[in-house]
Amino acid sequence: MYSAVEFASQEGGEESNNDRAFDLVRTEHPTATNYLSLPRDTFLKAAISLKDQVVQVTWKADGGAAEGKGIALDPTVHTGLLGTAFTCFRSFQATGDHQDLQLCAQIVHTCASVAPTFTRHVTFLCGRGGVYALGAVVANYMGDHQRRDSFLNLFLEVAQERALPIGPEEGGFGMSYDLLYGRAGFLWAALFINKHLGQETLPNDLLMPVVGAVLAGGRTGASDNTACPLMYRCHGTRYWGAAHGLAGILQVLLHFPLSEEDAEDVKGTLRYMMSNRFPHSGNYPSSEGNPRDKLVQWSHGATGIAITLCKASQVFSSDREFRDAAIEAGEVVWKNGLVKKVGLADGVAGNAYAFLSLYRLTGESIYEERAKAFASFLYHNARDLVTIGPARGADHPYSLFQGLAGTACLWFDLLYAGKFQVPGV
């Protein structure tokens, strides 16, 4: 048995050992019960330990970018230092330790110092929107209303980005629509603010024009496909997954009040995706027309779509088909979801959130148990899945979406299995 720090810092063994480890709870194998027995306190202690190591490596280590020693700073939630800040924020939510909140505020301050030069994206995961959104929320928890309002004003400046509310009919093709880099990602940041500071902090009259632009862009993108009401391109590809495609965009749209026409287009798009699943596996293509049935993760495949279908089932509660499809996608994740990475974007931690979403939707304990099984698998085997080097493992091994910070957040979130979802809203 390894502590969180020990397993995170050791390099993986031979590939055969790694394959053996990741096969352990792929199916309802009897050895999977070993992973269901870890007590609540074990996850909490492991999460705190791993969070401390993430902070040490990404923030405190000599020569680190956060110390201002000449290394380029990545200020994003996705792969950068802001993901460390978010992990500290999640630790504060789980433990109430104000030292975590203060540390989060310090890291956000460093990220905010470079955010004005980081102008390409305005999203929660990869842009200034995430810096200012998390900054405002953390300042509010600290009771620093002046700093909160300063961050809110900076976010409102981001909201003035001219491309955000412009639809295709007005030439609005300059900004993408996806969650990672585009307009849906900006709306995700706005939703994060409103969740923590109050629903009218950023009013609908500011946000709904952006929602309208996203819907208009989807209709234009689907104009050559009468079977699907909404479709989007990212880097020229019509992705279906959460990071770049339909699942992430629809997940965001489902958080806003939709007209009857808009709701029907969202439902019609989901039905199109459901009807075009791979017939043998039940998995979803990573992009329109892609025949490869390979990826089962949050970024691409059944995981991200299961989470979106859970939200659709909550919004359209009279349409049983979305609930059924969410459960079926969850079965795909259970059978295939012990992938060989640890992160939220394309790893075991992200796949566990499909079960937390299903538990929140259904209240059935099997989904909480499955999330714990995946989390327990990481507790025992993450050292075999992360290699600090170019040969294997994540490119950003301590980051939130590609590395161990995401594992720490999952462990924290297991304490409140019905409350949290993939970091963001």
Side-chain angles (χ1 to χ4, degrees):
M1 176 67 63
Y2 294 85
S3 71
V5 171
E6 288 171 332
F7 77 56
S9 62
Q10 295 192 37
E11 293 190 352
E14 296 297 321
E15 188 66 25
S16 59
N17 292 333
N18 188 57
D19 290 341
R20 176 189 59 78
F22 108 167
D23 280 335
L24 288 176
V25 287
R26 177 179 290 279
T27 60
E28 300 276 0
H29 192 279
T31 56
T33 57
N34 295 332
Y35 295 125
L36 302 177
S37 62
L38 293 179
R40 173 189 175 100
D41 285 350
T42 299
F43 285 125
L44 178 59
K45 291 175 183 177
I48 293 171
S49 180
L50 185 52
K51 177 265 300 181
D52 289 342
Q53 189 186 14
V54 168
V55 169
Q56 180 65 36
V57 171
T58 63
W59 173 250
K60 294 182 178 180
D62 289 341
E67 301 295 334
K69 296 183 179 179
I71 299 176
L73 172 62
D74 175 356
T76 70
V77 170
H78 189 251
T79 57
L81 192 57
L82 200 65
T84 300
F86 187 94
T87 306
C88 293
F89 175 64
R90 191 62 105 217
S91 180
F92 162 73
Q93 289 181 294
T95 67
D97 188 341
H98 279 263
Q99 290 185 343
D100 285 323
L101 194 63
Q102 292 168 359
L103 180 57
C104 177
Q106 293 172 18
I107 298 173
V108 170
H109 176 76
T110 294
C111 293
S113 69
V114 301
T117 64
F118 198 72
T119 59
R120 184 178 179 186
H121 304 302
V122 297
T123 63
F124 184 84
L125 294 180
C126 291
R128 289 171 289 146
V131 178
Y132 302 147
L134 184 57
V137 168
V138 170
N140 190 65
Y141 274 98
M142 295 182 71
D144 188 342
H145 294 167
Q146 182 176 358
R147 179 167 291 188
R148 175 201 64 194
D149 293 343
S150 176
F151 276 119
L152 282 176
N153 287 333
L154 288 169
F155 188 86
L156 289 171
E157 289 181 15
V158 172
Q160 300 306 311
E161 184 84 23
R162 291 182 62 187
L164 280 167
I166 297 177
E169 68 280 359
E170 303 166 286
F173 291 105
M175 181 181 289
S176 67
Y177 296 93
D178 63 307
L179 191 63
L180 210 58
Y181 300 125
R183 299 175 219 220
F186 164 79
L187 292 170
W188 198 241
L191 288 167
F192 180 78
I193 289 174
N194 280 354
K195 176 181 179 180
H196 290 279
L197 302 186
Q199 289 302 313
E200 287 301 313
T201 303
L202 300 172
N204 275 342
D205 61 4
L206 173 69
L207 302 179
M208 289 307 294
V210 185
V211 172
V214 173
L215 287 161
R219 290 174 181 132
T220 298
S223 59
D224 61 347
N225 183 350
T226 58
C228 185
L230 303 173
M231 189 63 70
Y232 303 87
R233 290 182 185 269
C234 183
H235 305 303
T237 301
R238 295 177 172 182
Y239 287 109
W240 281 29
H244 296 296
L246 285 169
I249 296 168
L250 296 178
Q251 168 80 358
V252 171
L253 292 176
L254 286 164
H255 283 79
F256 289 93
L258 300 175
S259 69
E260 183 176 351
E261 178 187 2
D262 295 340
E264 287 302 316
D265 280 353
V266 169
K267 288 193 284 187
T269 302
L270 288 169
R271 288 171 180 143
Y272 174 80
M273 297 169 74
M274 291 155 52
S275 67
N276 284 278
R277 289 173 285 184
F278 292 114
H280 298 295
S281 69
N283 192 26
Y284 288 77
S286 61
S287 60
E288 180 75 2
N290 192 325
R292 297 179 65 201
D293 183 3
K294 182 178 181 181
L295 301 176
V296 180
Q297 53 188 231
W298 177 80
S299 292
H300 304 289
T303 305
I305 294 173
I307 294 170
T308 297
L309 287 167
C310 285
K311 181 63 179 178
S313 181
Q314 293 169 336
V315 173
F316 309 124
S317 56
S318 61
D319 293 294
R320 178 79 186 194
E321 60 188 314
F322 300 123
R323 179 187 176 97
D324 292 343
I327 291 171
E328 290 168 7
E331 292 301 312
V332 175
V333 177
W334 177 245
K335 292 174 181 176
N336 299 277
L338 281 174
V339 293
K340 294 186 180 181
K341 293 185 180 180
V342 302
L344 297 176
D346 52 9
V348 177
N351 284 347
Y353 277 93
F355 304 129
L356 292 182
S357 294
L358 283 163
Y359 177 63
R360 187 168 56 250
L361 174 66
T362 67
E364 295 181 9
S365 60
I366 186 174
Y367 298 115
E368 183 180 17
E369 291 167 0
R370 287 180 172 184
K372 288 180 179 178
F374 276 32
S376 299
F377 168 81
L378 288 171
Y379 179 85
H380 289 283
N381 298 297
R383 68 185 181 88
D384 291 318
L385 304 182
V386 174
T387 299
I388 313 305
R392 192 158 56 89
D395 294 331
H396 306 275
Y398 289 92
S399 69
L400 186 60
F401 270 75
Q402 292 189 9
L404 289 163
T407 297
C409 281
L410 171 64
W411 290 340
F412 282 127
D413 288 354
L414 282 173
L415 305 177
Y416 307 94
K419 182 177 181 181
F420 294 119
Q421 57 191 42
V422 172
V425 176

